[in-house]
Amino acid sequence: MSAILATSVQLLMRWYQSCYACVRWSNCVSHIFSLTVGVRQGGVLSPLLFNIYVDSFLQRSQSTGLGCRIGLCYIGCVMYADDLTLFASSLCELQRMIDICVDKAANLCMQFNTKKCSVIRFGPRYRFQCSDVTMLGNSIKFVNSTKLLGV
């Protein structure tokens, strides 16, 4: 079985090492260039390979014990494609989760765009002043409404 796995990994490595693309815009086509990072956009295996890549990210989040649960189901860290939503019961817990996510993302050679991040608060004290939540030294803005995947 390990020989099949090794052959499959070698096939994927060769497939991705020889990946080239060009950009078409209207009637113009760019020069061909080598793709050196990421997964093929529109590739059949791309969602699966990305999920395998970020699974350790989600596993790390769950293993900390931080974040919300519904019964035994962990919902503290929800990810769809490259959108990540964290659910925490306090801002202190949220800050710890963010710090862990930033650290794990760095290990995966990923980074967050703090300009696209926001915090929304629920509950009876959501209007009260509170401490800043930060990421990479930048404060994350508090909002009254937000969109997730366009909804």
Side-chain angles (χ1 to χ4, degrees):
M1 188 66 166
S2 63
I4 293 172
L5 180 61
T7 303
S8 299
V9 169
Q10 288 174 347
L11 175 67
L12 283 172
M13 286 176 56
R14 186 168 305 257
W15 187 37
Y16 274 92
Q17 288 170 343
S18 59
C19 191
Y20 297 90
C22 63
V23 177
R24 188 175 102 196
W25 184 41
S26 204
N27 292 330
C28 299
V29 179
S30 73
H31 294 293
I32 294 174
F33 55 92
S34 175
L35 297 176
T36 58
V37 294
V39 293
R40 293 178 180 205
Q41 186 169 348
V44 176
L45 286 177
S46 296
L48 175 65
L49 293 173
F50 184 77
N51 286 343
I52 291 169
Y53 187 69
V54 299
D55 187 59
S56 64
F57 187 93
L58 299 175
Q59 292 296 325
R60 172 70 174 118
S61 297
Q62 184 174 358
S63 71
T64 64
L66 301 171
C68 295
R69 295 181 180 279
I70 297 177
L72 297 176
C73 182
Y74 179 72
I75 61 161
C77 182
V78 178
M79 188 173 209
Y80 183 82
D82 63 348
D83 289 328
L84 179 69
T85 303
L86 300 176
F87 296 96
S89 60
S90 70
L91 290 177
C92 182
E93 183 176 70
L94 177 63
Q95 183 65 64
R96 289 175 33 209
M97 291 174 73
I98 290 170
D99 294 342
I100 289 166
C101 287
V102 167
D103 183 55
K104 186 62 181 176
N107 291 339
L108 293 174
C109 297
M110 298 172 70
Q111 55 186 318
F112 293 100
N113 183 346
T114 56
K115 293 177 184 172
K116 291 184 177 181
C117 297
S118 60
V119 175
I120 188 166
R121 297 173 60 204
F122 299 93
R125 300 183 310 165
Y126 78 97
R127 291 186 184 181
F128 293 121
Q129 183 71 26
C130 60
S131 301
D132 284 344
V133 176
T134 62
M135 178 186 289
L136 301 169
N138 298 313
S139 292
I140 301 175
K141 64 182 175 257
F142 285 90
V143 296
N144 294 322
S145 65
T146 189
K147 284 186 178 184
L148 177 60
L149 303 172
V151 178

